[in-house]
Each structure stands twice: as C-alpha cells, then as structure tokens.
C-alpha cells in the first residue's frame, strides 16, 4: 500500500509531522490543579517557614503533620525536580520519562511486589500518627505542584501517602546490596553449582560513610560529641538536603534527608543524635529452582510440583516527546520470592524486609525520642533492616549498633553461595532478635567510630566485640579500610579530645601505611623495577609521596589517578601488567593536560557546580572523603563523599551546639538562587557554619519568612 505521505514533498512532510508534534505537546502538557476543598485544607495548615541567611529552612508547625507539610513545600522550592524524579519512579512512570533505562525500574517495582506489600500492610502496620504525618507531607508537595505547573515533568500528581511509603520500601534493600545481587545474577553465563561461591566474594566499593562519638570519659572538658558524616552522591535522589523541623507536638530535629522524605534520616535534636553508615550483612539469598522438564511453569518444592505465580505487566516507554509505546513483560514469583528465568536456569531471590513498610515510622520515632531508652525502643522495630548507627546524647551515652535483620537460617547450607530452591529447609521466615546482633554501649575507651569497617573494631581493643560469637552465615564484614585505620590511630593517640581536635580527625587527609592504597603504591614501584620499564620518573614521584591528599601535594594526583580504577576497601593482588598499564595511562594523562607528573592535587581535583570551580583536597577512602569522576579535560570532578555533615556537642549541662556544611548549598536545583552554591567556598576550606535551632536565634539570621498557601516572601 502506498504511504499517504509520499504525495507530499519532504519539507511539507516534515512541517506536518513537526506541527503534529507541537499540537500533541500542547495537548499532553503536564498540569495539576487542586480542588477548592483541597486548596482550603492546604491553606489551613498552621506552619511558618523561616529561611536563614544560608537558605536553610526552619519549619515551625503547630502539629507534626503541619511541620511535614512545610518541610515538603520548602524542599520542593529548592529541588522540585528531584522530588518529581522520585515520584515518577514510585508511580511506575520511569519508562515513560526515561525510556528503556527507566523501564527497568518500572519492572523492578512490579517484580518485587512493592505495590502489593504497601497496599496489603498500609492500614494494619502503620500507626495513625504516621499516616497523618505523610498526609501533611503530600499536601505540601501537591500545593507546590498546583502553584508551579510550569515545572511539572509528567502527570503524576497528586502525590499520596502510599507513594511516599513505596519509595522507602523500594530503596531500602539497595542499601544492603540487592542491586549488586541482581547485577551478578544477570552477569551469569551458565548455571552455577549449588553452594558455589557467588558475587558476595567481591571486594566492596571504597565509597562509604563516617560516624564518630566521644563521651565525657574521653573529651577534655566533659562534653559529649558526635560527627554525622554519611557519604552520598552530591546530587540526585539520594543526595542530602538540610532542614530543621519543629512542632508544638515535640518534634524538633535538625539534619539531613533525601528528596521524598517526610522525616530526618541523620541528625540531632536537643537531647540526642545519630549517624548511619552502610554495612553489608548477608541479608539476601539466591536460589536455583528445579524446573519441570516438560512444563517451564512448574518448579519442585518438597517433592511436589508447584506452579509459578505469573502476572503480565504493561510498561510504557518514551519514544519521542509525548509519544510512547506500551510493552508487556511477564513477572514471576515463587515461595521464596521473585523469579528470573534465563537460558541457563531459573532463579529466585529472597531478602530481609520483603514485606516491611515501617521505615518512615522508625525514623519518625527516632526523630521524636528524647533519651536513649526511647530511641533504642524505636530501633527495636527493625523497620530499617540494615545500616550501622553511631549514637550520642546529652547525658553522656554513646552507642554503636551493627544493625541487621539477619535471617534465621537453618545450619547445613553454605548461605554465601547459591542455594537449593526445592526444599523448605532453605525457606526462612523469621529474623534474629535485635538483642543478639553486634552493639557496643559506653565503652571504657570513651569513643566509637564507624567507617564501614568490621563491627569488631569500633573502639579500643579491650572494648571491642569478638567475632567468635557471631555466625559466619550472617556475612558480617571482617575488613578494615583506610578511614578505619586512620580513625583508630588518631583517636587512640589522643586521650583528651577537644571539639577542634575532633574536627581535625574528621578532616584528616592521609592514607595509612596499612591501607590498600599504600600497598598498591608499593606494588607499582616493585612492578616498575621488575619490568625495567621507562617509568622511572613515575617511580620517583610515587616513592616520594607521603600519602597526603592536601590540595598542595604534588604527588597525590599521580597516585590517585593510577589506582582509582581498582582501589577498593580491601587489598587484592593485581598482576604487574595491569598495574603498569593504569599507571602509564595516568602519567600520560597528567603530562597531556598539566605538563608534569608533579602537579598540585588541587589543580586536578575540583569541586565544580554551576560557575563555581574550586580546588579541593581529600580522596577515595580518606576521612575527608571525596569521590570524583574524570571529566576528560584533565580534572577529577567531585561527585560524592562528605556532602552535608554535622559536628554536634552537648556540654556538661546537656546544652546542645552544632555546626554543619553542605558541599553546594540549600537550593541545589535552582541555579538562579544565591544558595545554589554559597557554601562551596567554606566546604573546600574545611570550615563550618552555625546550626541555629532556637527561634530567637533563627530570627536574628532570617532571610525570609512565609506560610505556604497564605502569604509569601520574595524567597
């Protein structure tokens, strides 16, 4: 059949197509409008937002839901774009927005039964006050969307409380490695042997977090001190946002949260504070299913053939502008959990917290706690199934817990490998009570630290736990890292720590001689000697390096560029050819763009955001953590690490004081704002700003004051 467009010339055809595109773009233009009743309800919220001179929002609400409403509105003002990205994800519209890459997320949301879990347990598992909190939070986002239709990316509004919960349920298992587990499964080329060693043997990434606590036993003047330094990407859906939330219901929390969160994740109130660092307990199991030889929908389980649960889902894929294509994918499920089929085999996944939806509730209870007893009761919920936590409070308590919802597994199986998926003996239902997991409270040493290292070395040796008391199948880390070696040495050498000395520990810029970095540098020097290569100048530079990452250091750039592609927490033997190849590439790179192998590290490593471009020290697995990517023009551009962090202390009388800093500013998605990057200069100079928490102090430093939906400032 003749194409109906062939009678037109090419230019005319293009005009018709382009006109159709513009018309459809106008027709499908995103928009959202609250009803009169919804608008009146939003305007009835009793909340005032005070923006301080750094743009940080201080939200004062009459009730907790009022404060959550204000938090959502303020965060939307500063980063509505990323909040929308989170909403698009949980609404299963990523394929429609991002195309094929986004469709993977849509599939995972369905495959993991995120929607089913939340719908099933929302009313029965969440407390009424938590639901009200989330209703207030959603109202704040929806009001901002109503007022700012020109910023809406897709028609995903209104946001509802279930959407917020689903975001938490989906992202939580990624913290303990579900994404890496799935990646390993997709990388299989043949069916592995049962109980064969799996991806869990891989070295962990050097990206991590820091948490330090010092009790009056170790501080110079009887203070209790806390460093809150969780490392995250510097932008995107898991980047830190600083806020202070206050209500007349007793919620008064300063700290950091992610886009789409109605609560503070890490921070402090007047009485206590905490920080999380990522841990990697073995909370995930992969099973090989025994599929019926004649029916691929049947799998063996305890000598019976059971049919796989099957569902067909539709995913909309973005094609061009407003145009999309719908594809259908099959979603499979077994008694163990979600199932994937490949040519080489069929596999099921099971992980801790598969039906757990109380993450927000636990963080909310932690936010509202006023003493250790209340706070510990909140973490006993184990709504958050992983993450180390370092805690301190006004009465001098310090505490560390290697949090993990460990499966109560039967002995007799190698739980680190692939498991037989045809017996109820490998189907665990319960988890180990929290009282049995590693934790240390008020050690005699007077200090605790967590840098993603083993939980069996978090303080002075005599106060540490023994690994002999914990089963190997829990998968608890045994490794140290550079930050752990440096923290241990620096704390151990200082018997009376001041607030300024604690800051110096946090900002430490050195690699330990015990670190993987030091061992790799030694290996490179030996490889140059053995090979007789022409890298003698490289050898001279590396041999003279003092393991510093100060911006002025002239050897650090070559060392970090040489090892960056393979630097891990744990040292691994790498052959000489590999080492020499990467070292040679690093040398060529420096000479090409900087004309020398000895170049100030700050000339190479930069903090770049908008028009700001600054030298910055620190590096991978340094206590002053900076992780960067090569921009191809001779620079390493920081993209994750320190980010937002806090120094907190309580004096002898229990009065709190804190300082914070963000790598950019409070309005990271608003280039036109003065707060887009106004903290960057302080950040690179390792300086802090005050955290104002008392209303009278805030008013002395207020830049804007307004109530969303009622009266606005020029902010």
């Amino acid at each position: 059949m003749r194409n109906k467009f062939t009678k037109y010339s090419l230019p005319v055809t293009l005009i018709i197509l382009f006109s159709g595109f513009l018309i459809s773009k106008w027709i499908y233009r995103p928009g959202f409008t609250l009803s009169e009743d919804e608008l009146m309800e939003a305007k009835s919220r009793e909340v005032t937002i005070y923006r301080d001179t750094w743009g940080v929002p201080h939200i004062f609400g009459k009730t907790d839901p009022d404060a959550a409403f204000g938090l959502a509105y303020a965060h939307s003002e500063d980063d509505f774009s990323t909040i929308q990205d989170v909403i698009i994800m949980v609404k299963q519209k990523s394929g429609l927005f991002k195309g094929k890459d986004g469709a993977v997320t849509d599939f995972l949301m369905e495959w993991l039964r995120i929607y089913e879990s939340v719908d099933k347990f929302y009313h029965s598992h969440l407390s009424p006050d938590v639901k009200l909190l989330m209703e207030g939070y959603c109202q704040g986002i929806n009001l901002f969307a109503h007022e700012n239709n020109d910023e809406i990316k897709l028609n995903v509004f209104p946001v509802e409380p279930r959407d917020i919960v689903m975001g938490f349920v989906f992202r939580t298992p990624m913290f303990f490695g579900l994404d890496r587990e799935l990646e390993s499964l997709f990388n299989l080329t043949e069916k592995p042997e049962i109980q064969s060693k799996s991806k869990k043997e891989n070295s962990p990434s050097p990206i991590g977090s820091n948490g330090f606590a010092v009790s009056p036993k170790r501080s110079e003047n009887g203070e209790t001190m806390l460093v809150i330094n969780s490392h995250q990407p510097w932008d995107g859906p898991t980047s830190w946002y600083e806020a202070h939330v206050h209500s007349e219901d007793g919620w008064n929390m300063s700290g950091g949260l992610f886009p789409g969160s109605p609560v503070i994740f890490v921070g402090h109130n007047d009485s206590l504070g905490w920080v999380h660092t990522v841990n990697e307990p073995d909370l995930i199991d992969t099973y090989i299913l025994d599929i019926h030889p004649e029916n691929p929908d049947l799998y063996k389980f305890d000598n019976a053939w059971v049919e796989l649960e099957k569902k067909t889902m539709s995913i909309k894929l973005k094609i061009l502008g407003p145009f999309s294509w719908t594809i259908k994918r099959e979603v499979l499920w077994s008694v163990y959990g979600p199932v994937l089929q490949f040519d080489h085999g069929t596999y099921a996944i099971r992980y801790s917290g598969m039906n757990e939806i109380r993450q927000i509730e636990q963080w909310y209870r932690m936010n509202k706690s006023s003493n250790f007893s209340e706070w510990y009761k909140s973490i006993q919920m184990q709504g958050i199934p992983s993450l180390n936590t370092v805690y301190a409070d006004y009465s001098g308590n310090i505490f560390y817990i290697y949090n993990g919802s460990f499966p109560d597994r039967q002995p007799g199986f190698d739980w680190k490998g692939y498991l037989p998926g045809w017996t109820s003996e490998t189907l665990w239902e319960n988890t180990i009570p929290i009282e049995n997991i590693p934790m240390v409270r008020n050690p005699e040493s007077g200090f605790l630290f967590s840098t993603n290292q083993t939980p069996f070395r978090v303080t002075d040796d005599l106060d540490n736990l023994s690994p002999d008391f914990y089963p190997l199948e829990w998968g608890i880390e045994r490794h140290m890292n550079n930050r752990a070696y440096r923290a241990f040495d620096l704390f151990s050498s200082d018997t009376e720590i001041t607030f300024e000395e604690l800051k110096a520990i946090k900002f430490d810029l050195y690699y330990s001689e015990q670190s993987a970095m030091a061992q790799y540098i030694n290996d490179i020097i030996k490889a140059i000697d053995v090979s007789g290569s022409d890298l003698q100048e490289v050898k001279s530079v590396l041999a003279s390096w003092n393991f510093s990452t100060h911006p002025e250091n002239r050897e650090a750039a070559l060392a970090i560029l040489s090892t960056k592609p393979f630097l891990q927490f744990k040292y691994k033997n790498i052959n000489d050819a590999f080492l020499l190849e990467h070292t040679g590439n690093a040398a060529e790179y420096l000479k090409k763009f900087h004309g020398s192998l000895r170049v100030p590290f700050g000339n190479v490593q930069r903090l770049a955001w908008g028009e700001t471009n600054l030298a910055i020290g620190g590096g991978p697995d340094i206590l002053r953590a900076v992780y960067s990517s090569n921009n191809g023009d001779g620079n390493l551009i920081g993209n994750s690490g320190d980010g937002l962090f806090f120094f907190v202390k309580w004096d002898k009388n229990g009065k709190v004081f804190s300082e914070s800093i963000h790598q950019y500013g409070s309005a990271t998605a608003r280039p036109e704002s003065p707060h887009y990057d106004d903290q960057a200069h302080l950040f690179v100079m390792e300086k802090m700003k005050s955290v104002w928490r008392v209303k009278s102090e805030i008013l002395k430093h207020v830049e804007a004051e307004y109530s969303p939906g009622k009266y606005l400032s020029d902010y």
Side-chain angles (χ1 to χ4, degrees), residues 332-353:
L332 303 175
W333 195 271
S334 69
V335 293
Y336 296 101
V339 171
L340 287 172
Q341 288 184 326
F342 301 94
D343 292 340
H344 51 73
T346 301
Y347 307 87
I349 294 283
R350 189 170 188 80
Y351 60 91
S352 291

Side-chain angles (χ1 to χ4, degrees), residues 26 56 82 189 192 217 326 389 419 449 462 483 574 649 681:
W26 179 78
V56 175
T82 308
T189 56
K217 295 177 183 178
T326 300
T389 305
L419 296 157
F449 69 93
L462 293 177
R483 288 169 294 119
I574 298 175
K649 67 177 179 179
H681 289 80

Side-chain angles (χ1 to χ4, degrees), residues 33 57 328 339 462 476 489 506 519 563 606 625:
T33 304
K328 296 187 182 296
V339 171
L462 293 177
I476 298 175
D489 290 345
K506 158 66 208 105
Q519 295 178 72
T563 58
R606 313 291 293 180

Side-chain angles (χ1 to χ4, degrees), residues 19 68-69 211 268 329 568 659 691:
S19 299
F69 167 83
H268 72 93
R329 286 292 180 267
Q568 301 286 328
E659 297 175 320
V691 173

